[in-house]
Amino acid sequence: MSPIITRKMDAFRTFYDFIQLKEHIKHFGAQLTVGLVPTMGALHQGHIALVERAAIENDIVVVTIFVNPKQFNNSSDLKKYPRTIETDIALLSRFNNVVVCIPEVNDVYPENDSYSPIKLGVLDEVLEGRYRPGHFPGVAHVVHNLFSFIEPTSAYFGLKDYQQFAVINEMVKQTNLEVKVEGCNTVRDKNGLALSSRNFNLNEEQINDALIIIDTLRFIKNKLDQFEIDDVLEQAKVFFNKGKLTLEYLDIVDAQSFKRVTHLNQKSVCCIAAFCGEVRLIDNILL
Ligand code: PAF
């Protein structure tokens, strides 16, 4: 990080469009490294961990807050998505080298939007892709546009959304955008529940019930040295069903291609999605 830039970058700022944001960044010179943390707001410690890492590794960090309508395949899910903009800004205001950008839909998707959809193949056919049609094309589109407008050096994503991370890497590969995509470990509460903006919609009892997710993932990890994958998954479903959640999927896939694996001879990830009441939660564990 350049010491000259650090000295100048003292004020926390919020921008509401990309033009002003870009002017602000340009002001500090071409050598500046820009870390981008794209979010949909409702920030929690998982997001803050991304911002902290981005702030260490870059001269300036841009946190975008944009609830992307294109990635919701269900309009009631979009409506229910938690929005806590004032708390979000307050949480970020303690950082010196962070600016927030809260763009409008027309900024993110302008009339002359040049994005052409990428081919996601298997990534969009299994797990999240299968159960949320249109979700990953919407994620790829918004992240592409944020990368093109903001031109970050690096961008930071939580690995709780492991499949999303794979989708974003694929989008960058296919569109030749020059940005380093960094994955950051899932942040969990003291009992192991993965932090998620959706947890804001859970009551205390549900937060407790939701622990069956991490318990099931750990159950699987522990059993895999004794049993075959398919047996372990069957046992894990029985274990999971003793809890109160409703399982949507539970599977073990290759961590890059997301193709199903039958033997653990490659880097694999066990992914789960389940409903806790009306709230859909996802998690994963690397094997
Ligand atoms: O992970 C999220 O919060 C969103 O999918 C993202 C990456 C900000 C795109 O809208």
Side-chain angles (χ1 to χ4, degrees):
M1 187 193 298
S2 138
I4 300 163
I5 290 165
T6 314
R7 255 195 285 120
K8 285 196 219 161
M9 215 156 280
D10 49 5
F12 174 80
R13 299 277 302 269
T14 303
F15 297 93
Y16 295 90
D17 67 60
F18 294 127
I19 296 172
Q20 283 179 18
L21 172 72
K22 289 299 290 277
E23 277 301 308
H24 179 77
I25 295 175
K26 219 167 74 192
H27 191 72
F28 295 101
Q31 305 306 321
L32 194 77
T33 57
V34 180
L36 173 65
V37 181
T39 81
M40 298 205 295
L43 302 184
H44 49 69
Q45 278 312 309
H47 294 112
I48 298 304
L50 302 181
V51 177
E52 280 169 354
R53 178 163 162 203
I56 290 169
E57 295 181 0
N58 296 276
D59 294 312
I60 184 169
V61 177
V62 178
V63 178
T64 53
I65 299 179
F66 178 68
V67 182
N68 173 31
K70 281 194 195 287
Q71 72 186 75
F72 286 83
N73 56 315
N74 175 328
S75 60
S76 87
D77 196 23
L78 171 61
K79 216 162 129 199
K80 278 189 300 194
Y81 200 83
R83 289 159 171 89
T84 58
I85 203 82
E86 277 160 24
T87 326
D88 294 347
I89 292 176
L91 268 174
L92 295 170
S93 61
R94 71 176 166 92
F95 290 93
N96 285 338
N97 59 339
V98 170
V99 296
V100 179
C101 181
I102 309 176
E104 296 288 338
V105 176
N106 293 347
D107 282 319
V108 179
Y109 300 115
E111 262 175 39
N112 61 351
D113 189 347
S114 63
Y115 177 72
S116 33
I118 55 153
K119 289 192 178 67
L120 287 169
V122 174
L123 277 177
D124 197 32
E125 287 160 10
V126 300
L127 310 179
E128 287 301 284
R130 171 167 172 218
Y131 285 92
R132 301 185 71 192
H135 171 64
F136 284 139
V139 169
H141 192 168
V142 75
V143 175
H144 169 273
N145 286 11
L146 294 174
F147 284 2
S148 320
F149 299 139
I150 298 170
E151 298 178 295
T153 322
S154 307
Y156 298 79
F157 298 88
L159 291 178
K160 180 178 77 66
D161 298 288
Y162 208 95
Q163 198 171 355
Q164 166 172 282
F165 182 68
V167 164
I168 291 165
N169 275 303
E170 188 56 34
M171 181 276 290
V172 167
K173 197 166 127 195
Q174 286 185 35
T175 55
N176 297 317
L177 286 173
E178 275 187 35
V179 49
K180 227 167 128 214
V181 178
E182 303 282 5
C184 305
N185 287 340
T186 304
V187 179
R188 300 181 181 277
D189 75 5
K190 62 179 190 319
N191 298 315
L193 179 68
L195 298 191
S196 161
S197 303
R198 289 170 191 269
N199 297 358
F200 285 111
N201 291 337
L202 298 175
N203 62 34
E204 230 172 273
E205 193 185 329
Q206 288 175 315
I207 287 187
N208 200 42
D209 294 343
L211 293 177
I212 191 72
I213 293 180
I214 184 63
D215 290 346
T216 302
L217 293 174
R218 287 176 178 155
F219 174 97
I220 291 172
K221 192 156 179 154
N222 289 336
K223 294 269 173 187
L224 276 170
D225 50 6
Q226 305 161 49
F227 300 97
E228 294 295 319
I229 285 186
D230 284 344
D231 290 344
V232 174
L233 285 173
E234 278 320 303
Q235 293 176 38
K237 283 176 192 164
V238 174
F239 177 84
F240 180 88
N241 285 332
K242 289 187 184 141
K244 293 192 189 154
L245 274 62
T246 308
L247 189 64
E248 191 162 69
Y249 64 71
L250 175 65
D251 216 342
I252 295 177
V253 294
D254 177 89
Q256 217 179 346
S257 69
F258 271 71
K259 288 187 179 142
R260 258 209 105 218
V261 295
T262 42
H263 296 284
L264 279 191
N265 48 8
Q266 63 232 67
K267 190 175 169 193
S268 306
V269 59
C270 179
C271 299
I272 186 167
F275 281 91
C276 185
E278 305 242 297
V279 183
R280 187 174 183 278
L281 300 171
I282 62 169
D283 200 353
N284 66 75
I285 198 164
L286 275 173
L287 300 172

